């Protein structure tokens, strides 16, 4: 019997949050003074970054500047679990299945624990207290900016960069995401709609799903185990998706590429006036992004789509750089008009096609 259900209600999110928090890696060693200093400086930098981001983007002029929330790894895991519950339709009243929900909760908690040691910051448009996505006419900006201070400490030590500059650099990227969503509240609803399609059972007969998966495996079969790269994992995901789900995934991938590339463009456009050592930070951070990982970590990164996200930064920034250099930021901002002005999948790598279609 075909049945439509919410992925969010199939996961014990409370267990995911608690289990993930227990698995989170210990924070890098630091004194109370260092922790207090980085927390205070991140909060100040998140406020200070808003003005240059608005000046470069031309977005959210005159709006209030909300406070960022500075968190540790377990706190980020709890926030992420709550956001994922909202994104996947598992509201507070949704009860997960007894056994399968706990298993899914443990698995999700383990994934969040892995991610929590690497994420520097995140703007969450689905955070509690954010705008109600069920009301498309609601133009009240919401969401929450999270900055994970132990990871900021760890990375700035690893890269041997100026701490104050690096903290501002991180904030410039994440504050750009905050500005994107607060200036364009429809983005959260657009993302939520696509996620809703992805996380709903399409009602396909199980044999059809298995058939698509088997066809994919036959096409990719060789004398070796399939590579666990992001393209291979993405192909596997598409093999078991309905047409509607595949289209929704394309919308999310394009939107993510645009948002990340726009944020990277803004970081570089702000430049040394705000972050004196920006060139050094950019160079060392890009080296860190592309360094070779141990096999197990490469597999996990591929399964979680982390490598695909790294590709988003590069392709998205190239798109934004090209459009802004051709038509200027004011005309580029036409992109935020609505879903119909977002780039199509084949336009991300050919910016002139987007210019011709939209402008």
């Amino acid at each position: 019997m075909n049945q439509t259900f919410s992925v969010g209600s199939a996961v014990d999110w409370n267990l995911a949050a608690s289990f993930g928090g227990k698995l989170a890696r210990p924070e890098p060693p630091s004194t109370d003074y260092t922790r207090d200093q980085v927390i205070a400086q991140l909060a100040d930098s998140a406020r200070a970054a808003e003005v240059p981001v608005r000046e470069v983007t031309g977005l959210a002029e005159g709006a209030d500047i909300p406070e960022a929330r500075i968190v540790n790894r377990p706190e980020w895991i709890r926030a992420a679990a709550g956001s994922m519950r909202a994104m996947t339709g598992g509201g507070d009243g949704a009860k997960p299945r007894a056994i399968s929900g706990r298993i899914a909760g443990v698995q999700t908690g383990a994934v969040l624990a892995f991610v929590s040691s690497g994420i520097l910051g995140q703007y969450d448009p689905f955070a509690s207290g954010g705008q109600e996505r069920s009301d498309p006419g609601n133009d009240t900006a919401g969401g929450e900016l999270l900055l994970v201070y132990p990871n900021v400490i760890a990375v700035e030590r690893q890269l041997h960069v100026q701490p104050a500059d690096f903290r501002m650099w991180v904030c410039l990227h994440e504050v750009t995401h905050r500005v994107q969503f607060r200036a364009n509240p429809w983005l959260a609803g657009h993302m939520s709609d696509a996620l809703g399609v992805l996380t709903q059972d399409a009602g396909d007969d199980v044999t059809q799903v298995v058939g698509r998966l088997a066809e994919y495996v036959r096409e990719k079969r060789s004398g070796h185990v399939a590579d666990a790269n992001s393209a291979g994992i993405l192909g596997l995901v598409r093999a078991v998706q309905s047409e509607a789900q595949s289209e929704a995934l394309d919308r999310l991938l394009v939107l993510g590429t645009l948002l990340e590339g726009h944020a990277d463009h803004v970081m570089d456009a702000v430049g040394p006036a705000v972050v004196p050592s920006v060139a050094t930070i950019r160079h060392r951070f890009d080296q860190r992004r592309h360094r070779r990982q141990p096999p197990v970590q490469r597999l996990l990164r591929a399964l979680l789509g982390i490598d695909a996200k790294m590709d988003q930064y590069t392709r998205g920034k190239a798109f934004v750089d090209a459009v802004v250099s051709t038509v200027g930021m004011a005309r580029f901002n036409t992109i935020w008009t609505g879903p119909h002005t977002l780039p199509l999948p084949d336009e991300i790598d050919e910016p002139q096609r987007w210019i011709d279609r939209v402008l």
Side-chain angles (χ1 to χ4, degrees), residues 16-77:
S18 61
F19 185 71
K22 292 175 183 177
L23 286 184
R25 293 176 58 186
E27 297 180 6
S30 57
T31 64
D32 291 342
Y33 174 82
T34 298
R35 284 194 296 272
D36 292 344
Q37 182 195 50
V38 70
I39 289 171
Q41 194 164 56
L42 283 171
D44 289 343
S45 296
R47 287 190 294 269
E50 186 89 10
V51 172
V53 167
R54 292 181 183 185
E55 290 176 348
V56 168
T57 64
L59 300 173
E61 294 181 2
D64 65 309
I65 301 177
E67 294 293 319
R69 184 152 71 98
I70 320 301
V71 298
N72 59 25
R73 289 166 181 170
E75 289 169 340
W76 178 84
I77 290 170

Side-chain angles (χ1 to χ4, degrees), residues 21-277:
K22 292 175 183 177
L23 286 184
R25 293 176 58 186
E27 297 180 6
S30 57
T31 64
D32 291 342
Y33 174 82
T34 298
R35 284 194 296 272
D36 292 344
Q37 182 195 50
V38 70
I39 289 171
Q41 194 164 56
L42 283 171
D44 289 343
S45 296
R47 287 190 294 269
E50 186 89 10
V51 172
V53 167
R54 292 181 183 185
E55 290 176 348
V56 168
T57 64
L59 300 173
E61 294 181 2
D64 65 309
I65 301 177
E67 294 293 319
R69 184 152 71 98
I70 320 301
V71 298
N72 59 25
R73 289 166 181 170
E75 289 169 340
W76 178 84
I77 290 170
R78 285 196 294 274
S83 180
M84 291 175 69
R85 183 205 301 264
M87 283 191 293
T88 56
D92 292 336
K95 294 183 179 180
R97 301 170 184 178
I99 297 178
S100 62
R102 291 182 65 81
I103 293 173
V106 168
Q107 293 170 333
T108 302
V111 169
L112 290 175
F114 175 80
V115 175
S116 72
S117 64
I119 190 165
L120 299 175
Q122 173 188 26
Y123 181 72
D124 180 6
F126 303 100
S128 59
Q131 75 176 60
E132 293 295 330
R133 297 181 306 283
S134 60
D135 180 6
N138 182 1
D139 60 358
T140 302
E144 184 173 48
L145 174 59
L146 304 173
L147 297 166
V148 190
Y149 73 86
N151 297 343
V152 172
I153 293 174
V155 174
E156 67 191 24
R157 289 176 179 174
Q158 181 186 43
L159 299 183
H160 302 289
V161 292
Q162 290 290 335
D165 283 6
F166 183 72
R167 294 163 193 176
M168 174 58 80
W169 189 74
V170 169
C171 287
L172 285 170
H173 186 100
E174 303 308 332
V175 165
T176 301
H177 290 321
R178 181 169 68 187
V179 167
Q180 291 164 345
F181 279 93
R182 286 174 60 83
N184 307 287
W186 64 269
L187 283 172
H190 178 71
M191 181 180 289
S192 181
D193 289 344
L195 285 166
V197 174
L198 282 176
T199 58
Q200 290 289 331
D201 186 347
D204 285 23
D205 185 273
V206 173
T207 57
Q208 292 178 323
V209 175
V210 173
R212 289 203 299 271
L213 179 58
E215 181 180 356
Y216 172 82
V217 171
R218 283 195 299 271
E219 290 176 354
K220 296 296 182 182
R221 180 172 291 171
S222 66
H224 305 282
V225 177
D227 289 336
N229 55 35
S230 56
I233 296 300
L234 188 58
L236 183 60
V237 169
R238 290 193 186 280
V240 297
Q241 285 183 327
S242 67
E243 183 178 352
Q245 288 174 320
S246 183
E247 291 174 355
L249 179 60
D250 282 338
R251 291 201 302 273
L252 283 176
L253 290 174
V254 168
L255 179 59
T257 301
L258 171 65
L259 296 178
E260 297 298 349
H262 184 242
D264 262 18
H265 173 89
V266 170
M267 282 196 300
D268 286 355
V270 168
V274 176
V275 183
S277 58

